[in-house]
Amino acid sequence: FFGAFSSKNGINVVKAQGEEAVPDQCTEDPPHFVAPPHTGRCMNWTQDLVNNYTYPDDFKDSNNETIYSNFTQYVCGKGTEKYRLFDSNGIPDHDVMQGNKNAPCEVHWFIKVPYFPSFAAQVSELPPRSIIGMSMNGVPAFGPQEVGNSNAIEFDPNGTVKDAGFWYGHSTLQKVWHFHNPFMGHPNPSSDDLLGYALDGFPIYGPLDDETDRNCLDECNGRVIGRIYKYHIMRSEWVDENKFYFEQDENSWMLQRIHC
């Protein structure tokens, strides 16, 4: 499930609000990004009802202009200093259901991760909240907890947040659209689907086709295929809640340590 991988390396994240200011191509010289004032465009969705919205037909601002998803991936630098740069306005490119009163706004993300990630000396746990990765449609992936340390994935009809665990995501009080669900904008991903990248630079793929295949995964739910290390998410029905996952917080139960 989300958080079914733990960090193999460090991170370098910059969140900026403003118009896109990305060069046409990323040369060997690191680009310089300028962040002018945020456009401030937000969806004009109904604030007091739960509604379904079709992309892009229903993704309109107050002037009835379409707010399209805008995501670009750049590969910059050279040699061992090469890195990926993700530029996104944070708007999903698929249908959604708004389950709270926080209609999303554009938030411009610039995220830099290593192109050649390396293993750290020891496994470190993911932060339970805030961004832990970037999906391939430009929507940030957050950790497994909601505000108040509640479980974002496991639906609680008596909880204060009831819309966090769906594959299409939801919006924060600050109107930032994001995912907690490991499917990261895919209704039913396969093991071959690249869902995004963790902030350590390693790719995140869909769940393996069979639960028995998980025996080939390491303690971070990753494996090496063709000399490339990949994380794989877990399906919820594969999670054994009777097993020990995290040391610090019983609500961070997403990481099942598997020894191969």
Side-chain angles (χ1 to χ4, degrees), residues 171-203:
S171 184
T172 68
L173 184 63
Q174 294 75 30
K175 302 186 177 184
V176 178
W177 199 265
H178 62 285
F179 300 126
H180 293 283
N181 190 293
F183 286 10
M184 296 171 71
H186 290 252
N188 189 28
S190 73
S191 60
D192 295 326
D193 288 326
L194 174 62
L195 304 180
Y197 285 86
L199 295 186
D200 59 12
F202 289 106

PDB file of all heavy atoms in Angstrom, residues 171-203:
ATOM      1  N   SER A 171      -8.237  17.004  -2.189  1.00  0.00           N
ATOM      2  CA  SER A 171      -7.616  18.311  -2.011  1.00  0.00           C
ATOM      3  C   SER A 171      -7.441  18.634  -0.532  1.00  0.00           C
ATOM      4  O   SER A 171      -8.265  18.252   0.306  1.00  0.00           O
ATOM      5  CB  SER A 171      -8.473  19.395  -2.667  1.00  0.00           C
ATOM      6  OG  SER A 171      -7.854  20.664  -2.589  1.00  0.00           O
ATOM      7  N   THR A 172      -6.359  19.357  -0.211  1.00  0.00           N
ATOM      8  CA  THR A 172      -6.125  19.806   1.160  1.00  0.00           C
ATOM      9  C   THR A 172      -6.935  21.068   1.451  1.00  0.00           C
ATOM     10  O   THR A 172      -7.558  21.651   0.558  1.00  0.00           O
ATOM     11  CB  THR A 172      -4.644  20.127   1.386  1.00  0.00           C
ATOM     12  OG1 THR A 172      -4.301  21.296   0.610  1.00  0.00           O
ATOM     13  CG2 THR A 172      -3.750  18.975   0.979  1.00  0.00           C
ATOM     14  N   LEU A 173      -6.875  21.489   2.692  1.00  0.00           N
ATOM     15  CA  LEU A 173      -7.525  22.742   3.069  1.00  0.00           C
ATOM     16  C   LEU A 173      -6.918  23.910   2.303  1.00  0.00           C
ATOM     17  O   LEU A 173      -7.600  24.898   2.007  1.00  0.00           O
ATOM     18  CB  LEU A 173      -7.380  22.970   4.578  1.00  0.00           C
ATOM     19  CG  LEU A 173      -8.084  24.191   5.171  1.00  0.00           C
ATOM     20  CD1 LEU A 173      -9.600  24.070   5.003  1.00  0.00           C
ATOM     21  CD2 LEU A 173      -7.731  24.337   6.661  1.00  0.00           C
ATOM     22  N   GLN A 174      -5.627  23.778   1.934  1.00  0.00           N
ATOM     23  CA  GLN A 174      -4.955  24.805   1.137  1.00  0.00           C
ATOM     24  C   GLN A 174      -5.213  24.624  -0.363  1.00  0.00           C
ATOM     25  O   GLN A 174      -4.591  25.273  -1.188  1.00  0.00           O
ATOM     26  CB  GLN A 174      -3.453  24.782   1.407  1.00  0.00           C
ATOM     27  CG  GLN A 174      -3.058  25.184   2.818  1.00  0.00           C
ATOM     28  CD  GLN A 174      -3.352  24.087   3.848  1.00  0.00           C
ATOM     29  OE1 GLN A 174      -3.326  22.899   3.518  1.00  0.00           O
ATOM     30  NE2 GLN A 174      -3.622  24.486   5.082  1.00  0.00           N
ATOM     31  N   LYS A 175      -6.098  23.670  -0.708  1.00  0.00           N
ATOM     32  CA  LYS A 175      -6.535  23.433  -2.083  1.00  0.00           C
ATOM     33  C   LYS A 175      -5.434  22.854  -2.962  1.00  0.00           C
ATOM     34  O   LYS A 175      -5.339  23.155  -4.153  1.00  0.00           O
ATOM     35  CB  LYS A 175      -7.120  24.715  -2.692  1.00  0.00           C
ATOM     36  CG  LYS A 175      -8.301  25.266  -1.893  1.00  0.00           C
ATOM     37  CD  LYS A 175      -8.964  26.446  -2.557  1.00  0.00           C
ATOM     38  CE  LYS A 175     -10.182  26.895  -1.757  1.00  0.00           C
ATOM     39  NZ  LYS A 175     -10.913  27.993  -2.416  1.00  0.00           N
ATOM     40  N   VAL A 176      -4.618  21.999  -2.360  1.00  0.00           N
ATOM     41  CA  VAL A 176      -3.565  21.288  -3.083  1.00  0.00           C
ATOM     42  C   VAL A 176      -4.043  19.868  -3.354  1.00  0.00           C
ATOM     43  O   VAL A 176      -4.259  19.082  -2.417  1.00  0.00           O
ATOM     44  CB  VAL A 176      -2.258  21.254  -2.266  1.00  0.00           C
ATOM     45  CG1 VAL A 176      -1.183  20.456  -3.006  1.00  0.00           C
ATOM     46  CG2 VAL A 176      -1.782  22.664  -1.974  1.00  0.00           C
ATOM     47  N   TRP A 177      -4.211  19.515  -4.628  1.00  0.00           N
ATOM     48  CA  TRP A 177      -4.630  18.154  -4.976  1.00  0.00           C
ATOM     49  C   TRP A 177      -3.444  17.209  -4.790  1.00  0.00           C
ATOM     50  O   TRP A 177      -2.304  17.541  -5.134  1.00  0.00           O
ATOM     51  CB  TRP A 177      -5.134  18.086  -6.408  1.00  0.00           C
ATOM     52  CG  TRP A 177      -5.987  16.871  -6.667  1.00  0.00           C
ATOM     53  CD1 TRP A 177      -5.594  15.678  -7.183  1.00  0.00           C
ATOM     54  CD2 TRP A 177      -7.385  16.748  -6.402  1.00  0.00           C
ATOM     55  NE1 TRP A 177      -6.658  14.797  -7.258  1.00  0.00           N
ATOM     56  CE2 TRP A 177      -7.768  15.441  -6.773  1.00  0.00           C
ATOM     57  CE3 TRP A 177      -8.338  17.606  -5.869  1.00  0.00           C
ATOM     58  CZ2 TRP A 177      -9.075  14.971  -6.657  1.00  0.00           C
ATOM     59  CZ3 TRP A 177      -9.651  17.150  -5.740  1.00  0.00           C
ATOM     60  CH2 TRP A 177     -10.002  15.843  -6.131  1.00  0.00           C
ATOM     61  N   HIS A 178      -3.697  16.015  -4.247  1.00  0.00           N
ATOM     62  CA  HIS A 178      -2.613  15.073  -3.991  1.00  0.00           C
ATOM     63  C   HIS A 178      -3.189  13.669  -3.844  1.00  0.00           C
ATOM     64  O   HIS A 178      -4.401  13.481  -3.710  1.00  0.00           O
ATOM     65  CB  HIS A 178      -1.852  15.470  -2.721  1.00  0.00           C
ATOM     66  CG  HIS A 178      -2.700  15.452  -1.489  1.00  0.00           C
ATOM     67  ND1 HIS A 178      -3.629  16.436  -1.206  1.00  0.00           N
ATOM     68  CD2 HIS A 178      -2.780  14.571  -0.454  1.00  0.00           C
ATOM     69  CE1 HIS A 178      -4.241  16.160  -0.067  1.00  0.00           C
ATOM     70  NE2 HIS A 178      -3.743  15.025   0.406  1.00  0.00           N
ATOM     71  N   PHE A 179      -2.293  12.693  -3.849  1.00  0.00           N
ATOM     72  CA  PHE A 179      -2.671  11.298  -3.667  1.00  0.00           C
ATOM     73  C   PHE A 179      -2.169  10.795  -2.316  1.00  0.00           C
ATOM     74  O   PHE A 179      -1.064  11.129  -1.887  1.00  0.00           O
ATOM     75  CB  PHE A 179      -2.056  10.404  -4.752  1.00  0.00           C
ATOM     76  CG  PHE A 179      -2.457  10.743  -6.156  1.00  0.00           C
ATOM     77  CD1 PHE A 179      -1.489  10.984  -7.121  1.00  0.00           C
ATOM     78  CD2 PHE A 179      -3.785  10.826  -6.523  1.00  0.00           C
ATOM     79  CE1 PHE A 179      -1.834  11.291  -8.424  1.00  0.00           C
ATOM     80  CE2 PHE A 179      -4.156  11.139  -7.825  1.00  0.00           C
ATOM     81  CZ  PHE A 179      -3.174  11.367  -8.776  1.00  0.00           C
ATOM     82  N   HIS A 180      -2.976   9.982  -1.658  1.00  0.00           N
ATOM     83  CA  HIS A 180      -2.515   9.097  -0.592  1.00  0.00           C
ATOM     84  C   HIS A 180      -2.560   7.655  -1.094  1.00  0.00           C
ATOM     85  O   HIS A 180      -1.732   6.837  -0.707  1.00  0.00           O
ATOM     86  CB  HIS A 180      -3.404   9.206   0.647  1.00  0.00           C
ATOM     87  CG  HIS A 180      -3.326  10.524   1.343  1.00  0.00           C
ATOM     88  ND1 HIS A 180      -2.267  10.876   2.157  1.00  0.00           N
ATOM     89  CD2 HIS A 180      -4.180  11.571   1.366  1.00  0.00           C
ATOM     90  CE1 HIS A 180      -2.462  12.080   2.646  1.00  0.00           C
ATOM     91  NE2 HIS A 180      -3.628  12.532   2.182  1.00  0.00           N
ATOM     92  N   ASN A 181      -3.544   7.359  -1.917  1.00  0.00           N
ATOM     93  CA  ASN A 181      -3.710   6.016  -2.459  1.00  0.00           C
ATOM     94  C   ASN A 181      -2.506   5.648  -3.317  1.00  0.00           C
ATOM     95  O   ASN A 181      -2.044   6.458  -4.129  1.00  0.00           O
ATOM     96  CB  ASN A 181      -4.993   5.962  -3.282  1.00  0.00           C
ATOM     97  CG  ASN A 181      -5.378   4.568  -3.687  1.00  0.00           C
ATOM     98  OD1 ASN A 181      -4.701   3.929  -4.473  1.00  0.00           O
ATOM     99  ND2 ASN A 181      -6.490   4.084  -3.159  1.00  0.00           N
ATOM    100  N   PRO A 182      -1.983   4.438  -3.201  1.00  0.00           N
ATOM    101  CA  PRO A 182      -0.790   4.056  -3.955  1.00  0.00           C
ATOM    102  C   PRO A 182      -0.998   3.969  -5.458  1.00  0.00           C
ATOM    103  O   PRO A 182      -0.024   3.965  -6.210  1.00  0.00           O
ATOM    104  CB  PRO A 182      -0.435   2.676  -3.373  1.00  0.00           C
ATOM    105  CG  PRO A 182      -1.729   2.147  -2.869  1.00  0.00           C
ATOM    106  CD  PRO A 182      -2.469   3.336  -2.344  1.00  0.00           C
ATOM    107  N   PHE A 183      -2.253   3.911  -5.915  1.00  0.00           N
ATOM    108  CA  PHE A 183      -2.486   3.803  -7.354  1.00  0.00           C
ATOM    109  C   PHE A 183      -2.132   5.087  -8.094  1.00  0.00           C
ATOM    110  O   PHE A 183      -2.014   5.097  -9.308  1.00  0.00           O
ATOM    111  CB  PHE A 183      -3.934   3.413  -7.629  1.00  0.00           C
ATOM    112  CG  PHE A 183      -4.241   1.959  -7.315  1.00  0.00           C
ATOM    113  CD1 PHE A 183      -3.331   1.162  -6.648  1.00  0.00           C
ATOM    114  CD2 PHE A 183      -5.451   1.404  -7.691  1.00  0.00           C
ATOM    115  CE1 PHE A 183      -3.606  -0.161  -6.358  1.00  0.00           C
ATOM    116  CE2 PHE A 183      -5.740   0.074  -7.410  1.00  0.00           C
ATOM    117  CZ  PHE A 183      -4.818  -0.711  -6.744  1.00  0.00           C
ATOM    118  N   MET A 184      -2.027   6.189  -7.392  1.00  0.00           N
ATOM    119  CA  MET A 184      -1.471   7.430  -7.940  1.00  0.00           C
ATOM    120  C   MET A 184      -2.109   7.861  -9.258  1.00  0.00           C
ATOM    121  O   MET A 184      -1.442   8.167 -10.232  1.00  0.00           O
ATOM    122  CB  MET A 184       0.046   7.292  -8.105  1.00  0.00           C
ATOM    123  CG  MET A 184       0.778   7.110  -6.794  1.00  0.00           C
ATOM    124  SD  MET A 184       2.533   6.701  -6.958  1.00  0.00           S
ATOM    125  CE  MET A 184       3.190   8.259  -7.553  1.00  0.00           C
ATOM    126  N   GLY A 185      -3.451   7.887  -9.280  1.00  0.00           N
ATOM    127  CA  GLY A 185      -4.150   8.352 -10.465  1.00  0.00           C
ATOM    128  C   GLY A 185      -4.488   7.278 -11.472  1.00  0.00           C
ATOM    129  O   GLY A 185      -5.027   7.586 -12.535  1.00  0.00           O
ATOM    130  N   HIS A 186      -4.204   6.023 -11.156  1.00  0.00           N
ATOM    131  CA  HIS A 186      -4.557   4.899 -12.025  1.00  0.00           C
ATOM    132  C   HIS A 186      -5.663   4.097 -11.347  1.00  0.00           C
ATOM    133  O   HIS A 186      -5.503   3.688 -10.196  1.00  0.00           O
ATOM    134  CB  HIS A 186      -3.355   3.988 -12.268  1.00  0.00           C
ATOM    135  CG  HIS A 186      -2.303   4.596 -13.124  1.00  0.00           C
ATOM    136  ND1 HIS A 186      -2.068   4.184 -14.413  1.00  0.00           N
ATOM    137  CD2 HIS A 186      -1.414   5.589 -12.886  1.00  0.00           C
ATOM    138  CE1 HIS A 186      -1.084   4.886 -14.928  1.00  0.00           C
ATOM    139  NE2 HIS A 186      -0.662   5.752 -14.023  1.00  0.00           N
ATOM    140  N   PRO A 187      -6.757   3.806 -12.029  1.00  0.00           N
ATOM    141  CA  PRO A 187      -7.822   3.043 -11.382  1.00  0.00           C
ATOM    142  C   PRO A 187      -7.436   1.604 -11.063  1.00  0.00           C
ATOM    143  O   PRO A 187      -7.907   1.047 -10.080  1.00  0.00           O
ATOM    144  CB  PRO A 187      -8.978   3.099 -12.394  1.00  0.00           C
ATOM    145  CG  PRO A 187      -8.350   3.475 -13.686  1.00  0.00           C
ATOM    146  CD  PRO A 187      -7.142   4.285 -13.365  1.00  0.00           C
ATOM    147  N   ASN A 188      -6.553   1.006 -11.873  1.00  0.00           N
ATOM    148  CA  ASN A 188      -6.151  -0.386 -11.628  1.00  0.00           C
ATOM    149  C   ASN A 188      -4.813  -0.656 -12.298  1.00  0.00           C
ATOM    150  O   ASN A 188      -4.741  -1.320 -13.334  1.00  0.00           O
ATOM    151  CB  ASN A 188      -7.218  -1.348 -12.155  1.00  0.00           C
ATOM    152  CG  ASN A 188      -6.952  -2.778 -11.723  1.00  0.00           C
ATOM    153  OD1 ASN A 188      -6.343  -3.031 -10.687  1.00  0.00           O
ATOM    154  ND2 ASN A 188      -7.400  -3.730 -12.531  1.00  0.00           N
ATOM    155  N   PRO A 189      -3.716  -0.180 -11.731  1.00  0.00           N
ATOM    156  CA  PRO A 189      -2.413  -0.333 -12.387  1.00  0.00           C
ATOM    157  C   PRO A 189      -1.889  -1.759 -12.329  1.00  0.00           C
ATOM    158  O   PRO A 189      -2.237  -2.528 -11.426  1.00  0.00           O
ATOM    159  CB  PRO A 189      -1.514   0.606 -11.573  1.00  0.00           C
ATOM    160  CG  PRO A 189      -2.137   0.615 -10.215  1.00  0.00           C
ATOM    161  CD  PRO A 189      -3.620   0.537 -10.454  1.00  0.00           C
ATOM    162  N   SER A 190      -1.050  -2.092 -13.296  1.00  0.00           N
ATOM    163  CA  SER A 190      -0.381  -3.389 -13.330  1.00  0.00           C
ATOM    164  C   SER A 190       1.068  -3.221 -12.898  1.00  0.00           C
ATOM    165  O   SER A 190       1.553  -2.103 -12.690  1.00  0.00           O
ATOM    166  CB  SER A 190      -0.440  -3.978 -14.737  1.00  0.00           C
ATOM    167  OG  SER A 190       0.441  -3.274 -15.607  1.00  0.00           O
ATOM    168  N   SER A 191       1.775  -4.324 -12.796  1.00  0.00           N
ATOM    169  CA  SER A 191       3.169  -4.287 -12.349  1.00  0.00           C
ATOM    170  C   SER A 191       4.077  -3.600 -13.361  1.00  0.00           C
ATOM    171  O   SER A 191       5.205  -3.218 -13.025  1.00  0.00           O
ATOM    172  CB  SER A 191       3.675  -5.706 -12.088  1.00  0.00           C
ATOM    173  OG  SER A 191       3.596  -6.499 -13.265  1.00  0.00           O
ATOM    174  N   ASP A 192       3.621  -3.443 -14.608  1.00  0.00           N
ATOM    175  CA  ASP A 192       4.422  -2.795 -15.642  1.00  0.00           C
ATOM    176  C   ASP A 192       4.167  -1.293 -15.742  1.00  0.00           C
ATOM    177  O   ASP A 192       4.837  -0.602 -16.509  1.00  0.00           O
ATOM    178  CB  ASP A 192       4.148  -3.433 -17.010  1.00  0.00           C
ATOM    179  CG  ASP A 192       4.604  -4.877 -17.077  1.00  0.00           C
ATOM    180  OD1 ASP A 192       5.620  -5.208 -16.437  1.00  0.00           O
ATOM    181  OD2 ASP A 192       3.941  -5.683 -17.760  1.00  0.00           O
ATOM    182  N   ASP A 193       3.192  -0.796 -14.987  1.00  0.00           N
ATOM    183  CA  ASP A 193       2.839   0.623 -15.064  1.00  0.00           C
ATOM    184  C   ASP A 193       3.766   1.458 -14.179  1.00  0.00           C
ATOM    185  O   ASP A 193       3.845   1.232 -12.967  1.00  0.00           O
ATOM    186  CB  ASP A 193       1.396   0.843 -14.631  1.00  0.00           C
ATOM    187  CG  ASP A 193       0.397   0.341 -15.657  1.00  0.00           C
ATOM    188  OD1 ASP A 193       0.699   0.426 -16.859  1.00  0.00           O
ATOM    189  OD2 ASP A 193      -0.680  -0.140 -15.252  1.00  0.00           O
ATOM    190  N   LEU A 194       4.446   2.420 -14.797  1.00  0.00           N
ATOM    191  CA  LEU A 194       5.257   3.370 -14.050  1.00  0.00           C
ATOM    192  C   LEU A 194       4.320   4.425 -13.470  1.00  0.00           C
ATOM    193  O   LEU A 194       3.730   5.213 -14.208  1.00  0.00           O
ATOM    194  CB  LEU A 194       6.302   4.014 -14.956  1.00  0.00           C
ATOM    195  CG  LEU A 194       7.132   5.141 -14.338  1.00  0.00           C
ATOM    196  CD1 LEU A 194       7.939   4.636 -13.152  1.00  0.00           C
ATOM    197  CD2 LEU A 194       8.045   5.762 -15.394  1.00  0.00           C
ATOM    198  N   LEU A 195       4.179   4.450 -12.156  1.00  0.00           N
ATOM    199  CA  LEU A 195       3.246   5.356 -11.504  1.00  0.00           C
ATOM    200  C   LEU A 195       3.879   6.703 -11.181  1.00  0.00           C
ATOM    201  O   LEU A 195       3.195   7.718 -11.143  1.00  0.00           O
ATOM    202  CB  LEU A 195       2.717   4.726 -10.215  1.00  0.00           C
ATOM    203  CG  LEU A 195       2.050   3.354 -10.358  1.00  0.00           C
ATOM    204  CD1 LEU A 195       1.571   2.867  -9.007  1.00  0.00           C
ATOM    205  CD2 LEU A 195       0.908   3.397 -11.353  1.00  0.00           C
ATOM    206  N   GLY A 196       5.191   6.695 -10.938  1.00  0.00           N
ATOM    207  CA  GLY A 196       5.873   7.935 -10.592  1.00  0.00           C
ATOM    208  C   GLY A 196       7.256   7.641 -10.063  1.00  0.00           C
ATOM    209  O   GLY A 196       7.794   6.552 -10.250  1.00  0.00           O
ATOM    210  N   TYR A 197       7.811   8.635  -9.374  1.00  0.00           N
ATOM    211  CA  TYR A 197       9.142   8.495  -8.780  1.00  0.00           C
ATOM    212  C   TYR A 197       9.095   8.918  -7.323  1.00  0.00           C
ATOM    213  O   TYR A 197       8.477   9.920  -6.965  1.00  0.00           O
ATOM    214  CB  TYR A 197      10.155   9.375  -9.523  1.00  0.00           C
ATOM    215  CG  TYR A 197      10.555   8.817 -10.872  1.00  0.00           C
ATOM    216  CD1 TYR A 197       9.795   9.097 -12.004  1.00  0.00           C
ATOM    217  CD2 TYR A 197      11.674   8.009 -11.006  1.00  0.00           C
ATOM    218  CE1 TYR A 197      10.140   8.575 -13.242  1.00  0.00           C
ATOM    219  CE2 TYR A 197      12.031   7.491 -12.241  1.00  0.00           C
ATOM    220  CZ  TYR A 197      11.264   7.768 -13.351  1.00  0.00           C
ATOM    221  OH  TYR A 197      11.610   7.239 -14.577  1.00  0.00           O
ATOM    222  N   ALA A 198       9.752   8.125  -6.477  1.00  0.00           N
ATOM    223  CA  ALA A 198       9.943   8.529  -5.093  1.00  0.00           C
ATOM    224  C   ALA A 198      10.957   9.669  -5.059  1.00  0.00           C
ATOM    225  O   ALA A 198      11.728   9.869  -6.003  1.00  0.00           O
ATOM    226  CB  ALA A 198      10.433   7.341  -4.259  1.00  0.00           C
ATOM    227  N   LEU A 199      10.981  10.399  -3.976  1.00  0.00           N
ATOM    228  CA  LEU A 199      11.886  11.533  -3.892  1.00  0.00           C
ATOM    229  C   LEU A 199      13.349  11.121  -3.828  1.00  0.00           C
ATOM    230  O   LEU A 199      14.231  11.964  -3.975  1.00  0.00           O
ATOM    231  CB  LEU A 199      11.533  12.397  -2.677  1.00  0.00           C
ATOM    232  CG  LEU A 199      10.163  13.076  -2.720  1.00  0.00           C
ATOM    233  CD1 LEU A 199       9.997  14.008  -1.537  1.00  0.00           C
ATOM    234  CD2 LEU A 199       9.943  13.824  -4.032  1.00  0.00           C
ATOM    235  N   ASP A 200      13.608   9.840  -3.609  1.00  0.00           N
ATOM    236  CA  ASP A 200      14.995   9.387  -3.655  1.00  0.00           C
ATOM    237  C   ASP A 200      15.457   9.096  -5.081  1.00  0.00           C
ATOM    238  O   ASP A 200      16.619   8.787  -5.307  1.00  0.00           O
ATOM    239  CB  ASP A 200      15.207   8.163  -2.768  1.00  0.00           C
ATOM    240  CG  ASP A 200      14.324   6.982  -3.146  1.00  0.00           C
ATOM    241  OD1 ASP A 200      13.705   7.016  -4.227  1.00  0.00           O
ATOM    242  OD2 ASP A 200      14.261   6.018  -2.362  1.00  0.00           O
ATOM    243  N   GLY A 201      14.534   9.188  -6.065  1.00  0.00           N
ATOM    244  CA  GLY A 201      14.887   9.001  -7.458  1.00  0.00           C
ATOM    245  C   GLY A 201      14.529   7.652  -8.036  1.00  0.00           C
ATOM    246  O   GLY A 201      14.565   7.467  -9.252  1.00  0.00           O
ATOM    247  N   PHE A 202      14.160   6.686  -7.200  1.00  0.00           N
ATOM    248  CA  PHE A 202      13.812   5.364  -7.705  1.00  0.00           C
ATOM    249  C   PHE A 202      12.373   5.354  -8.218  1.00  0.00           C
ATOM    250  O   PHE A 202      11.488   5.976  -7.630  1.00  0.00           O
ATOM    251  CB  PHE A 202      13.979   4.307  -6.619  1.00  0.00           C
ATOM    252  CG  PHE A 202      15.411   4.010  -6.270  1.00  0.00           C
ATOM    253  CD1 PHE A 202      15.963   4.471  -5.092  1.00  0.00           C
ATOM    254  CD2 PHE A 202      16.206   3.271  -7.136  1.00  0.00           C
ATOM    255  CE1 PHE A 202      17.280   4.202  -4.767  1.00  0.00           C
ATOM    256  CE2 PHE A 202      17.526   2.999  -6.821  1.00  0.00           C
ATOM    257  CZ  PHE A 202      18.071   3.461  -5.637  1.00  0.00           C
ATOM    258  N   PRO A 203      12.109   4.622  -9.330  1.00  0.00           N
ATOM    259  CA  PRO A 203      10.756   4.587  -9.891  1.00  0.00           C
ATOM    260  C   PRO A 203       9.806   3.746  -9.056  1.00  0.00           C
ATOM    261  O   PRO A 203      10.222   2.796  -8.375  1.00  0.00           O
ATOM    262  CB  PRO A 203      10.977   3.967 -11.272  1.00  0.00           C
ATOM    263  CG  PRO A 203      12.191   3.100 -11.105  1.00  0.00           C
ATOM    264  CD  PRO A 203      13.076   3.840 -10.127  1.00  0.00           C
TER     265      PRO A 203
END
